[in-house]
Amino acid sequence: MKRLLSLSGILGSLLMFTGDMLLYYDLVSGLDYDSIATMGKMPVERLIAGGLIGPIAAVFSIMGGYLFYLVFRPVNRILARMLFACFAVMFVVAGSYHAVFASYGFIGRLPEPFQVEQLSFLRTYLKSIYALIFVCGTIWTLLLFYLVIFTKTLYPRWMLLFTPTLLLLLSPYLKDYIPYPFGAIIYGGWINLSFMVYFIVCFLHFSRKKFKSAISNHEL
C-alpha cells in the first residue's frame, strides 16, 4: 500500500511538472528564465491544458500524501491525521494556484497599457493563495520533523534531507547557475521536481523494506 501511495505521489508531481512545462517551457538558462514573458507568447490551447492539469495532478498528490497517515498512525493518530490534512489542503490550494497561474499568459496578450493593472491584481490574488500554501507547508514540515525525530517509526531520519519544502528554499540560490537550456526545466519545475524526488525516495525505501520483510519470512 505504501508503495502504491508513493507511486501516486510520483504521478501527481510528474503531472504538475508537465503542466509547468506546458505553461512556460523555453530554451533558456536560469538567468534568462522569465515564466510570465514566455507564457504571453504561448498558444492559448497550451495554456488551458497546462492550467487544467494542476487540479487533476493535485488529486494524485493528495492520494500520495495519505502515506504519511499510514506511516505515523501507529505512534500518534491525531498528529498523523493533522499531517495528512495539512498536506492535502496544501495540494488542494496548490492545484488552484497552478490553474490560476495560467492567467499570466492570457493577460500577456492584452494591449500593454492594460497589462500593468491586471498583472497587479493577479499577483495580489496569487500571493494570497501562496500564503495559505506556505502556512500549510510550514505546519506539515514541523509536524513531520517532530514525528521523525522524537518518535520511532518506519520513516528513517535520513529521509528528512529530501523534505521537499526544505529543498524549495534552495531554488533562489541556484537560479543564476542553471545553464542553458535547462532554466525552465530545473528552476521552473523545481517545486514539482522536489516532490517527485521525495516520493521516489519514499517508494525506494518502502520497496526495500518490503523486500527485506519478504526475505525474512522466506528464511523463517
Side-chain angles (χ1 to χ4, degrees):
M1 183 64 173
K2 296 181 182 68
R3 289 180 299 168
L4 286 175
L5 293 174
S6 298
L7 286 173
S8 180
I10 294 170
L11 177 59
S13 301
L14 180 60
L15 286 173
M16 199 78 83
F17 174 76
T18 302
D20 288 340
M21 296 303 101
L22 285 172
L23 291 176
Y24 47 69
Y25 173 72
D26 195 10
L27 299 174
V28 293
S29 65
L31 191 61
D32 296 325
Y33 168 79
D34 186 339
S35 60
I36 297 175
T38 302
M39 289 168 65
K41 298 178 290 186
M42 286 293 178
V44 172
E45 295 79 11
R46 182 165 167 173
L47 292 173
I48 293 173
L52 287 177
I53 285 179
I56 297 171
V59 173
F60 291 99
S61 295
I62 292 169
M63 289 170 60
Y66 190 69
L67 169 70
F68 306 115
Y69 175 70
L70 293 184
V71 170
F72 297 107
R73 178 178 57 183
V75 295
N76 193 315
R77 187 180 294 267
I78 293 176
L79 289 183
R81 287 174 178 170
M82 291 176 61
L83 192 68
F84 172 62
C86 286
F87 190 88
V89 173
M90 179 170 63
F91 269 92
V92 167
V93 182
S96 302
Y97 184 97
H98 186 96
V100 174
F101 195 81
S103 300
Y104 276 122
F106 304 133
I107 292 175
R109 285 168 165 71
L110 295 174
E112 192 167 337
F114 298 101
Q115 287 186 22
V116 176
E117 185 178 29
Q118 296 303 317
L119 285 173
S120 176
F121 292 151
L122 181 57
R123 286 193 181 100
T124 301
Y125 183 39
L126 285 174
K127 282 181 181 178
S128 300
I129 298 176
Y130 181 79
L132 184 53
I133 296 173
F134 179 81
V135 170
C136 291
T138 301
I139 296 173
W140 176 78
T141 304
L142 293 175
L143 285 174
L144 179 66
F145 270 68
Y146 172 80
L147 287 167
V148 173
I149 294 173
F150 295 103
T151 64
K152 188 175 182 180
T153 70
L154 296 173
Y155 193 110
R157 292 180 179 178
W158 60 263
M159 280 178 62
L160 291 175
L161 296 173
F162 295 92
T163 304
T165 46
L166 296 185
L167 294 179
L168 299 185
L169 300 177
L170 299 175
S171 60
Y173 304 101
L174 299 175
K175 183 178 186 293
D176 294 347
Y177 301 99
I178 299 173
Y180 175 92
F182 303 110
I185 295 173
I186 297 177
Y187 184 76
W190 185 264
I191 295 175
N192 297 307
L193 289 175
S194 297
F195 278 95
M196 191 188 307
V197 168
Y198 180 71
F199 277 113
I200 289 173
V201 171
C202 288
F203 176 78
L204 294 175
H205 173 68
F206 290 114
S207 294
R208 180 169 167 268
K209 296 285 289 186
K210 187 77 172 178
F211 178 74
K212 282 188 172 182
S213 177
I215 293 294
S216 299
N217 292 336
H218 179 71
E219 290 176 349
L220 291 175

